[in-house]
Amino acid sequence: MRDILPALARWYADRAPFGLATVVEVSRSAPRDPGAAMAVGPHDEVVGSVSGGCVEGAVFELAQEVVADGEARLESFGYSDEDAFAVGLTCGGEITLLVRPVTPELDPSFGEVAESVAAGAPVTVATVTDGPAPRGAALAVWPDRVSGTLGATGLDAAVTADARGELALGATGLRHYGPHGQRREDAVSVFLQSFAPPPRMLVFGAIDYAAAVARIGAFLGYRVTVCDARPVFATPRRFPEGVEVVVEWPHRYLRGTDTDERTVICVLTHDPKFDVPLLEEALRRPAAYIGAMGSRRTHDDRTRRLTEAGLGERELSRLRSPVGLDLGARTPEEVAVSVAAEIVALRWGGTGAPLTATRGAVHPPPPGR
Protein backbone atom coordinates (compact mmCIF):
# COMPACT_ATOMS: atom_id res chain seq x y z
CA MET A 1 0.00 0.00 0.00
CA ARG A 2 2.77 2.43 0.89
CA ASP A 3 4.28 1.99 -2.60
CA ILE A 4 1.06 2.74 -4.50
CA LEU A 5 -0.20 5.60 -2.33
CA PRO A 6 1.28 8.36 -4.56
CA ALA A 7 -0.90 7.18 -7.47
CA LEU A 8 -3.94 6.80 -5.21
CA ALA A 9 -3.43 10.27 -3.74
CA ARG A 10 -3.29 11.72 -7.27
CA TRP A 11 -6.56 10.03 -8.26
CA TYR A 12 -8.18 11.10 -5.00
CA ALA A 13 -7.11 14.73 -5.45
CA ASP A 14 -8.57 14.65 -8.98
CA ARG A 15 -11.83 13.23 -7.53
CA ALA A 16 -11.48 10.22 -9.82
CA PRO A 17 -13.16 7.13 -8.25
CA PHE A 18 -10.98 4.03 -7.93
CA GLY A 19 -11.36 0.48 -6.70
CA LEU A 20 -8.96 -0.56 -3.94
CA ALA A 21 -8.34 -4.25 -3.19
CA THR A 22 -6.47 -5.06 0.03
CA VAL A 23 -5.33 -8.43 1.34
CA VAL A 24 -6.94 -8.75 4.77
CA GLU A 25 -6.31 -12.42 5.56
CA VAL A 26 -4.08 -15.21 4.27
CA SER A 27 -3.64 -18.92 4.93
CA ARG A 28 -1.00 -21.49 4.08
CA SER A 29 1.46 -20.56 1.34
CA ALA A 30 -0.05 -17.26 0.19
CA PRO A 31 2.35 -15.08 -1.82
CA ARG A 32 1.52 -11.70 -0.23
CA ASP A 33 0.96 -10.66 3.38
CA PRO A 34 -2.03 -8.75 4.78
CA GLY A 35 -1.86 -5.15 3.68
CA ALA A 36 -0.72 -5.86 0.13
CA ALA A 37 -2.88 -3.82 -2.23
CA MET A 38 -3.90 -3.31 -5.83
CA ALA A 39 -5.98 -0.48 -7.25
CA VAL A 40 -7.77 0.20 -10.52
CA GLY A 41 -8.17 3.86 -11.36
CA PRO A 42 -9.28 6.07 -14.23
CA HIS A 43 -8.73 4.76 -17.76
CA ASP A 44 -8.27 1.26 -16.25
CA GLU A 45 -4.83 2.16 -14.88
CA VAL A 46 -3.59 -0.53 -12.47
CA VAL A 47 -1.09 -0.16 -9.64
CA GLY A 48 0.07 -2.70 -7.06
CA SER A 49 -0.40 -6.43 -6.67
CA VAL A 50 -2.23 -8.78 -4.31
CA SER A 51 -0.92 -12.17 -5.37
CA GLY A 52 2.04 -11.78 -7.68
CA GLY A 53 -0.10 -12.49 -10.75
CA CYS A 54 -2.39 -15.39 -9.73
CA VAL A 55 -5.69 -13.53 -9.32
CA GLU A 56 -5.01 -10.01 -10.55
CA GLY A 57 -7.26 -10.46 -13.60
CA ALA A 58 -10.27 -11.32 -11.44
CA VAL A 59 -9.46 -8.51 -9.00
CA PHE A 60 -9.30 -6.04 -11.88
CA GLU A 61 -12.90 -6.89 -12.78
CA LEU A 62 -14.02 -6.75 -9.13
CA ALA A 63 -12.47 -3.30 -8.70
CA GLN A 64 -14.35 -2.05 -11.75
CA GLU A 65 -17.60 -3.48 -10.37
CA VAL A 66 -17.32 -1.88 -6.94
CA VAL A 67 -16.65 1.50 -8.52
CA ALA A 68 -19.71 1.05 -10.72
CA ASP A 69 -22.13 0.01 -7.95
CA GLY A 70 -20.50 1.76 -4.96
CA GLU A 71 -20.59 -1.37 -2.78
CA ALA A 72 -17.56 -2.96 -1.08
CA ARG A 73 -17.05 -6.72 -1.39
CA LEU A 74 -15.16 -9.41 0.49
CA GLU A 75 -13.76 -12.12 -1.77
CA SER A 76 -11.58 -15.16 -1.15
CA PHE A 77 -9.33 -16.87 -3.68
CA GLY A 78 -7.68 -20.27 -3.30
CA TYR A 79 -6.32 -23.19 -5.25
CA SER A 80 -8.90 -25.23 -7.15
CA ASP A 81 -8.23 -28.99 -7.12
CA GLU A 82 -10.86 -29.53 -9.79
CA ASP A 83 -9.44 -27.06 -12.27
CA ALA A 84 -5.88 -25.84 -11.78
CA PHE A 85 -6.49 -23.22 -14.44
CA ALA A 86 -9.47 -21.69 -12.65
CA VAL A 87 -9.09 -18.41 -10.81
CA GLY A 88 -7.05 -19.32 -7.75
CA LEU A 89 -3.64 -19.56 -6.16
CA THR A 90 -1.59 -22.32 -7.69
CA CYS A 91 0.79 -22.06 -4.72
CA GLY A 92 -1.87 -23.78 -2.60
CA GLY A 93 -2.67 -20.88 -0.31
CA GLU A 94 -5.75 -18.71 0.13
CA ILE A 95 -6.17 -14.97 0.36
CA THR A 96 -9.17 -12.90 1.37
CA LEU A 97 -9.53 -9.46 -0.17
CA LEU A 98 -11.60 -6.44 0.73
CA VAL A 99 -12.39 -4.60 -2.51
CA ARG A 100 -13.94 -1.18 -1.97
CA PRO A 101 -14.63 1.99 -3.92
CA VAL A 102 -12.77 5.12 -2.81
CA THR A 103 -13.95 8.68 -3.41
CA PRO A 104 -13.80 11.83 -1.25
CA GLU A 105 -17.49 11.31 -0.46
CA LEU A 106 -17.11 7.66 0.60
CA ASP A 107 -13.81 8.11 2.47
CA PRO A 108 -13.21 11.75 3.49
CA SER A 109 -10.04 10.83 5.45
CA PHE A 110 -8.14 9.10 2.64
CA GLY A 111 -6.28 12.20 1.46
CA GLU A 112 -5.07 13.06 4.94
CA VAL A 113 -3.96 9.47 5.48
CA ALA A 114 -1.94 9.57 2.25
CA GLU A 115 -0.31 12.83 3.34
CA SER A 116 0.63 11.35 6.72
CA VAL A 117 2.18 8.25 5.16
CA ALA A 118 4.15 10.37 2.67
CA ALA A 119 5.43 12.52 5.55
CA GLY A 120 6.40 9.49 7.67
CA ALA A 121 3.75 10.31 10.30
CA PRO A 122 2.20 7.27 12.04
CA VAL A 123 -1.42 6.41 11.26
CA THR A 124 -3.60 3.29 11.34
CA VAL A 125 -6.56 2.76 9.03
CA ALA A 126 -9.38 0.56 10.36
CA THR A 127 -11.81 -0.81 7.77
CA VAL A 128 -14.90 -2.97 8.29
CA THR A 129 -14.63 -6.18 6.29
CA ASP A 130 -17.64 -8.20 7.51
CA GLY A 131 -20.56 -8.25 9.95
CA PRO A 132 -23.44 -5.96 10.98
CA ALA A 133 -21.55 -2.76 10.18
CA PRO A 134 -21.14 -0.91 6.87
CA ARG A 135 -18.63 -2.97 4.87
CA GLY A 136 -15.80 -0.72 3.67
CA ALA A 137 -16.42 1.96 6.32
CA ALA A 138 -13.08 3.41 7.38
CA LEU A 139 -11.73 5.04 10.52
CA ALA A 140 -8.31 6.74 10.45
CA VAL A 141 -6.49 6.78 13.78
CA TRP A 142 -3.48 8.95 14.60
CA PRO A 143 -1.75 9.07 18.01
CA ASP A 144 -3.62 12.30 18.83
CA ARG A 145 -6.83 12.26 16.75
CA VAL A 146 -9.28 10.23 14.67
CA SER A 147 -11.28 10.80 11.51
CA GLY A 148 -14.23 8.89 10.10
CA THR A 149 -16.53 6.31 11.65
CA LEU A 150 -17.30 2.58 11.46
CA GLY A 151 -20.99 3.22 12.11
CA ALA A 152 -21.29 2.92 15.91
CA THR A 153 -19.81 5.03 18.70
CA GLY A 154 -18.84 2.05 20.87
CA LEU A 155 -17.20 0.28 17.92
CA ASP A 156 -15.24 3.42 17.05
CA ALA A 157 -13.98 3.72 20.64
CA ALA A 158 -12.85 0.08 20.92
CA VAL A 159 -11.19 0.09 17.51
CA THR A 160 -9.42 3.40 18.21
CA ALA A 161 -7.84 1.97 21.35
CA ASP A 162 -6.68 -1.17 19.54
CA ALA A 163 -5.48 0.78 16.50
CA ARG A 164 -3.16 2.88 18.63
CA GLY A 165 -1.77 -0.26 20.21
CA GLU A 166 -1.15 -1.81 16.79
CA LEU A 167 0.42 1.41 15.58
CA ALA A 168 2.97 1.32 18.40
CA LEU A 169 3.99 -2.16 17.19
CA GLY A 170 3.73 -1.41 13.48
CA ALA A 171 1.29 -4.34 13.26
CA THR A 172 -1.40 -5.12 10.68
CA GLY A 173 -4.22 -7.67 10.91
CA LEU A 174 -7.88 -8.52 11.54
CA ARG A 175 -9.66 -7.81 14.82
CA HIS A 176 -13.16 -8.91 15.86
CA TYR A 177 -15.80 -7.08 17.93
CA GLY A 178 -19.44 -6.99 18.82
CA PRO A 179 -21.69 -4.52 16.94
CA HIS A 180 -20.99 -1.86 19.55
CA GLY A 181 -17.35 -2.70 20.20
CA GLN A 182 -17.85 -5.55 22.68
CA ARG A 183 -14.49 -7.23 23.23
CA ARG A 184 -15.71 -10.80 23.69
CA GLU A 185 -17.82 -10.97 20.55
CA ASP A 186 -16.81 -11.53 16.94
CA ALA A 187 -19.77 -10.35 14.89
CA VAL A 188 -17.84 -7.51 13.22
CA SER A 189 -14.48 -8.02 11.51
CA VAL A 190 -12.24 -4.97 11.21
CA PHE A 191 -8.93 -4.83 9.35
CA LEU A 192 -6.31 -2.66 11.06
CA GLN A 193 -3.51 -1.52 8.75
CA SER A 194 -0.68 0.36 10.47
CA PHE A 195 1.53 2.81 8.65
CA ALA A 196 4.34 3.26 11.14
CA PRO A 197 7.40 5.31 10.12
CA PRO A 198 9.94 3.22 8.18
CA PRO A 199 12.34 1.24 10.38
CA ARG A 200 15.87 2.57 10.70
CA MET A 201 19.09 1.07 9.41
CA LEU A 202 22.24 2.46 11.05
CA VAL A 203 25.41 1.72 9.11
CA PHE A 204 28.72 2.47 10.82
CA GLY A 205 31.88 2.82 8.75
CA ALA A 206 31.84 4.88 5.53
CA ILE A 207 33.53 2.32 3.29
CA ASP A 208 32.57 0.81 -0.07
CA TYR A 209 30.74 -2.01 1.68
CA ALA A 210 28.71 0.57 3.59
CA ALA A 211 27.59 2.23 0.35
CA ALA A 212 26.33 -1.12 -0.97
CA VAL A 213 24.60 -2.00 2.32
CA ALA A 214 23.01 1.46 2.44
CA ARG A 215 21.71 1.03 -1.11
CA ILE A 216 20.09 -2.34 -0.44
CA GLY A 217 18.77 -1.12 2.92
CA ALA A 218 16.96 1.75 1.22
CA PHE A 219 15.62 -0.72 -1.36
CA LEU A 220 14.18 -2.83 1.49
CA GLY A 221 12.37 0.20 2.89
CA TYR A 222 14.68 1.27 5.72
CA ARG A 223 15.51 4.87 6.56
CA VAL A 224 19.28 4.63 6.30
CA THR A 225 21.93 6.59 8.18
CA VAL A 226 25.67 6.14 7.63
CA CYS A 227 27.98 7.30 10.41
CA ASP A 228 31.77 7.58 10.50
CA ALA A 229 34.16 9.68 12.56
CA ARG A 230 36.35 10.40 9.50
CA PRO A 231 35.04 13.36 7.48
CA VAL A 232 37.15 12.47 4.46
CA PHE A 233 35.08 9.27 4.05
CA ALA A 234 31.71 10.37 5.43
CA THR A 235 30.63 12.53 2.49
CA PRO A 236 27.12 12.42 0.94
CA ARG A 237 28.46 12.07 -2.62
CA ARG A 238 29.80 8.59 -1.76
CA PHE A 239 26.34 7.29 -0.85
CA PRO A 240 22.95 6.88 -2.54
CA GLU A 241 20.57 9.81 -2.66
CA GLY A 242 18.33 9.97 0.39
CA VAL A 243 20.85 8.32 2.73
CA GLU A 244 21.73 10.47 5.75
CA VAL A 245 25.48 10.80 6.35
CA VAL A 246 26.75 11.80 9.81
CA VAL A 247 30.30 12.67 10.90
CA GLU A 248 30.63 11.56 14.53
CA TRP A 249 32.28 8.92 16.66
CA PRO A 250 29.98 5.91 16.21
CA HIS A 251 29.33 5.12 19.87
CA ARG A 252 28.57 8.77 20.63
CA TYR A 253 26.11 8.98 17.76
CA LEU A 254 24.36 5.77 18.79
CA ARG A 255 24.18 6.89 22.41
CA GLY A 256 22.15 9.92 21.33
CA THR A 257 19.93 8.02 18.85
CA ASP A 258 16.66 6.24 19.59
CA THR A 259 16.38 2.61 18.48
CA ASP A 260 13.52 0.13 18.71
CA GLU A 261 12.75 -3.51 18.02
CA ARG A 262 12.74 -2.85 14.25
CA THR A 263 16.12 -1.09 14.07
CA VAL A 264 18.97 -2.69 12.11
CA ILE A 265 22.58 -1.90 13.12
CA CYS A 266 25.43 -2.81 10.78
CA VAL A 267 28.96 -2.29 12.11
CA LEU A 268 31.36 -2.30 9.16
CA THR A 269 34.35 -0.47 10.64
CA HIS A 270 36.21 -3.63 11.82
CA ASP A 271 38.49 -1.36 13.84
CA PRO A 272 38.55 -2.02 17.62
CA LYS A 273 38.75 1.64 18.59
CA PHE A 274 35.46 2.23 16.77
CA ASP A 275 33.49 -0.97 16.94
CA VAL A 276 34.13 -2.17 20.52
CA PRO A 277 32.63 0.91 22.25
CA LEU A 278 29.94 1.00 19.56
CA LEU A 279 28.93 -2.64 20.07
CA GLU A 280 29.08 -2.22 23.83
CA GLU A 281 26.38 0.43 23.41
CA ALA A 282 24.41 -1.41 20.68
CA LEU A 283 24.15 -4.77 22.46
CA ARG A 284 22.56 -3.12 25.50
CA ARG A 285 19.70 -1.46 23.64
CA PRO A 286 16.67 -2.60 21.58
CA ALA A 287 17.36 -3.61 17.98
CA ALA A 288 16.11 -6.24 15.52
CA TYR A 289 19.56 -7.00 14.15
CA ILE A 290 23.14 -6.18 15.15
CA GLY A 291 25.81 -7.36 12.72
CA ALA A 292 29.54 -6.72 12.63
CA MET A 293 31.99 -7.22 9.76
CA GLY A 294 35.34 -8.91 10.20
CA SER A 295 37.21 -12.19 10.01
CA ARG A 296 36.75 -14.94 12.56
CA ARG A 297 39.99 -13.85 14.18
CA THR A 298 38.61 -10.31 14.40
CA HIS A 299 35.40 -11.67 15.86
CA ASP A 300 37.23 -13.63 18.55
CA ASP A 301 39.30 -10.59 19.50
CA ARG A 302 36.20 -8.39 19.53
CA THR A 303 34.29 -10.87 21.70
CA ARG A 304 37.16 -10.95 24.19
CA ARG A 305 37.22 -7.15 24.40
CA LEU A 306 33.45 -6.96 24.82
CA THR A 307 33.56 -9.57 27.58
CA GLU A 308 36.23 -7.55 29.35
CA ALA A 309 33.95 -4.52 29.01
CA GLY A 310 31.31 -6.36 31.04
CA LEU A 311 28.95 -7.79 28.43
CA GLY A 312 27.45 -11.15 29.30
CA GLU A 313 26.44 -14.17 27.25
CA ARG A 314 22.91 -12.86 26.69
CA GLU A 315 24.14 -9.62 25.12
CA LEU A 316 26.85 -11.31 23.06
CA SER A 317 24.38 -13.87 21.69
CA ARG A 318 22.61 -11.03 19.87
CA LEU A 319 25.68 -10.24 17.76
CA ARG A 320 25.69 -11.57 14.19
CA SER A 321 29.39 -11.85 13.46
CA PRO A 322 30.91 -12.38 10.98
CA VAL A 323 28.07 -10.46 9.37
CA GLY A 324 25.85 -11.98 6.65
CA LEU A 325 24.94 -15.41 5.29
CA ASP A 326 27.44 -17.76 3.68
CA LEU A 327 26.88 -16.94 0.00
CA GLY A 328 30.52 -16.94 -1.03
CA ALA A 329 30.23 -13.16 -1.50
CA ARG A 330 33.29 -11.20 -2.60
CA THR A 331 32.35 -7.77 -3.94
CA PRO A 332 30.74 -5.04 -1.79
CA GLU A 333 27.46 -5.58 -3.63
CA GLU A 334 27.54 -9.33 -3.04
CA VAL A 335 28.36 -8.82 0.63
CA ALA A 336 25.42 -6.39 0.88
CA VAL A 337 23.14 -9.10 -0.52
CA SER A 338 24.39 -11.58 2.10
CA VAL A 339 23.81 -9.05 4.88
CA ALA A 340 20.32 -8.23 3.59
CA ALA A 341 19.52 -11.95 3.31
CA GLU A 342 20.48 -12.49 6.95
CA ILE A 343 18.34 -9.53 8.05
CA VAL A 344 15.33 -10.86 6.15
CA ALA A 345 15.85 -14.40 7.43
CA LEU A 346 16.09 -13.21 11.02
CA ARG A 347 13.01 -11.03 10.64
CA TRP A 348 10.78 -13.79 9.30
CA GLY A 349 12.35 -16.84 10.92
CA GLY A 350 13.93 -18.21 7.74
CA THR A 351 16.69 -20.79 7.79
CA GLY A 352 18.87 -19.35 5.03
CA ALA A 353 18.93 -22.79 3.40
CA PRO A 354 18.10 -23.30 -0.29
CA LEU A 355 14.35 -23.87 -0.74
CA THR A 356 15.16 -27.04 -2.66
CA ALA A 357 16.58 -28.45 0.58
CA THR A 358 13.57 -27.53 2.75
CA ARG A 359 10.07 -28.92 3.21
CA GLY A 360 6.73 -27.32 3.95
CA ALA A 361 5.23 -23.98 2.97
CA VAL A 362 7.39 -21.60 0.96
CA HIS A 363 5.75 -18.69 2.80
CA PRO A 364 5.18 -19.90 6.39
CA PRO A 365 3.39 -17.63 8.87
CA PRO A 366 5.68 -15.05 10.50
CA PRO A 367 7.04 -15.93 13.96
CA GLY A 368 4.39 -15.49 16.60
CA ARG A 369 1.40 -15.53 14.23
Side-chain angles (χ1 to χ4, degrees):
M1 176 69 85
R2 192 185 296 273
D3 293 338
I4 69 174
L5 267 176
L8 307 191
R10 184 177 71 250
W11 297 341
Y12 188 86
D14 292 341
R15 307 188 72 83
F18 59 90
L20 176 61
T22 305
V23 178
V24 298
E25 192 170 21
V26 302
S27 66
R28 300 190 300 277
S29 186
R32 303 297 303 275
D33 286 328
M38 169 182 159
V40 179
H43 311 296
D44 292 339
E45 182 180 353
V46 178
V47 293
S49 170
V50 292
S51 74
C54 298
V55 302
E56 269 69 7
V59 174
F60 176 83
E61 295 179 0
L62 277 171
Q64 290 179 315
E65 292 171 7
V66 301
V67 169
D69 62 27
E71 298 291 332
R73 300 189 190 182
L74 191 68
E75 297 283 346
S76 294
F77 296 92
Y79 181 74
S80 170
D81 291 322
E82 296 179 358
D83 183 0
F85 296 99
V87 172
L89 299 178
T90 56
C91 58
E94 183 174 319
I95 60 174
T96 300
L97 305 177
L98 176 68
V99 189
R100 66 185 181 103
V102 179
T103 66
E105 293 74 25
L106 293 171
D107 190 349
S109 305
F110 189 90
E112 191 176 0
V113 168
E115 291 175 359
S116 293
V117 175
V123 60
T124 294
V125 178
T127 313
V128 174
T129 65
D130 203 9
R135 178 174 289 157
L139 176 71
V141 181
W142 289 267
D144 58 350
R145 68 190 191 282
V146 300
S147 180
T149 180
L150 302 182
T153 301
L155 182 59
D156 287 347
V159 170
T160 295
D162 289 346
R164 287 182 173 143
E166 299 289 80
L167 187 56
L169 299 173
T172 287
L174 276 175
R175 289 291 190 106
H176 304 281
Y177 306 87
H180 298 284
Q182 298 95 325
R183 298 284 183 179
R184 296 185 180 181
E185 298 184 24
D186 59 3
V188 180
S189 298
V190 179
F191 182 65
L192 302 182
Q193 185 167 14
S194 297
F195 296 95
R200 298 200 65 182
M201 173 182 280
L202 307 177
V203 182
F204 295 96
I207 59 177
D208 290 345
Y209 291 95
V213 169
R215 187 175 298 110
I216 203 167
F219 175 76
L220 291 176
Y222 289 93
R223 179 163 70 93
V224 183
T225 298
V226 175
C227 175
D228 197 301
R230 302 164 295 181
V232 67
F233 295 112
T235 60
R237 68 176 179 272
R238 301 185 66 236
F239 296 93
E241 183 178 356
V243 171
E244 179 186 28
V245 180
V246 174
V247 179
E248 177 61 281
W249 277 79
H251 71 284
R252 292 175 185 165
Y253 175 76
L254 184 58
R255 191 173 296 155
T257 300
D258 290 334
T259 64
D260 59 26
E261 286 74 12
R262 302 185 301 154
T263 303
V264 166
I265 299 174
C266 297
V267 180
L268 309 181
T269 52
H270 54 84
D271 183 332
K273 71 176 178 291
F274 290 124
D275 58 17
V276 170
L278 170 60
L279 288 169
E280 185 179 352
E281 175 70 28
L283 292 169
R284 288 174 168 154
R285 58 165 55 226
Y289 175 92
I290 303 170
M293 177 177 279
S295 66
R296 298 194 188 280
R297 180 177 178 180
T298 298
H299 169 74
D300 291 341
D301 177 68
R302 192 161 45 208
T303 300
R304 177 183 60 80
R305 292 171 182 265
L306 290 170
T307 301
E308 291 173 353
L311 271 72
E313 184 176 340
R314 184 179 65 85
E315 290 92 353
L316 292 172
S317 67
R318 301 177 61 204
L319 179 59
R320 317 292 290 194
S321 174
V323 70
L325 296 184
D326 180 13
L327 304 183
R330 293 291 188 273
T331 68
E333 290 74 19
E334 290 173 345
V335 169
V337 170
S338 78
V339 173
E342 184 174 46
I343 291 169
V344 172
L346 188 63
R347 177 183 180 186
W348 297 111
T351 65
L355 287 172
T356 54
T358 64
R359 301 283 183 182
V362 173
H363 304 283
R369 181 182 292 179

